[in-house]
Amino acid sequence: MRAFARTFVSLLLVCLLGPGAMATAAPGCECDTPSIDRLQQWLASGEGTTVPATGSLLVREGPKYAAKVTFLNAEWHVVVVWLGNKFEAQADLSKSRGFWMTYSATDDLYVQLRPASHWSGGNKWLTKVPSTGGKIVHRWFSFAPDKWTTLPELGKPDYSLASALTEARGLVFVGKTANRIEFRGLRIDGYRPPCL
């Protein structure tokens, strides 16, 4: 009975904290279809020259999946992650402290928090995603207001970051330089995406 209890607690921790919390991943934590930390929709939007040009970025890496994209040319590129795994969904992240991301990038880029009511356009709250020199890193990104800003080239939103957090539809990664990017993990504090 004691061994069963230890196994159950271990599986529960992996599901709640993510596969990085323990050495082995538990079955049932990820979705039945390809996903990274239960996020199933990692999409090249067709904006900017990217490889792939459109569609899913997810590729199998051993027993798990990674999302890989290459930005080409000096132009704005856009990659989308739908937080509720479909466009119409949204998540209330107002109580979330931020997110952990495991990724690599050969140049700097940005991540925008896009709310459902102001989805389109580049004028969004964003934070810098620093280059890793191509190495995989595990980094914390806070939702604290002083960590988010705007870019004059993209414009300033006419809504607050706090209001965007209450109706978050997606995290959108944007960059204007050539870049090779790989995502291995994205765990949002206090939020567990629904599998579809």
Side-chain angles (χ1 to χ4, degrees), residues 9-26 29:
V9 169
S10 296
L11 292 175
L12 183 61
L13 283 172
V14 171
C15 287
L16 292 176
L17 301 177
M22 302 191 69
T24 58
C29 293

Side-chain angles (χ1 to χ4, degrees), residues 29-32 35 38 40 85 193-196:
C29 293
E30 285 291 350
C31 300
D32 291 336
S35 64
R38 299 175 62 89
Q40 298 166 287
N85 289 322
C195 290
L196 300 181

